[in-house]
Amino acid sequence: SQVNAQRAVAQLSPAGMASIEPVQRDGLTLYRVVLPAPADEAAAYALRDRVAEIGFAEARVIQTF
C-alpha cells in the first residue's frame, strides 16, 4: 500500500533519499520504494547490505553493471 511505502521511505532515511514509484500490475497500483545507489558496483552492494540491516532483507540492486 502507499502507506506502507511511505513508512519504508521513512525507515530508509538513514541510508539515503528513498522515493516511491507507483507501478501498474494487473489493474492494481503497487508502490515500489527505490533508493538510488552509487555508480560504483561495490558501493551499490554495500548500500544494499545497509538496507538489509535496517530491516529490508529482500532488498535488491536492480541495475546491472
Side-chain angles (χ1 to χ4, degrees), residues 1-12 16-24 29-36 56:
S1 73
Q2 189 171 14
V3 170
N4 286 341
Q6 290 169 337
R7 187 177 304 122
V9 166
Q11 290 174 300
L12 288 168
M17 293 296 298
S19 62
I20 300 170
E21 293 180 357
V23 178
Q24 296 296 318
T29 302
L30 305 175
Y31 299 93
R32 179 185 350 215
V33 176
V34 178
L35 185 63
F56 297 91

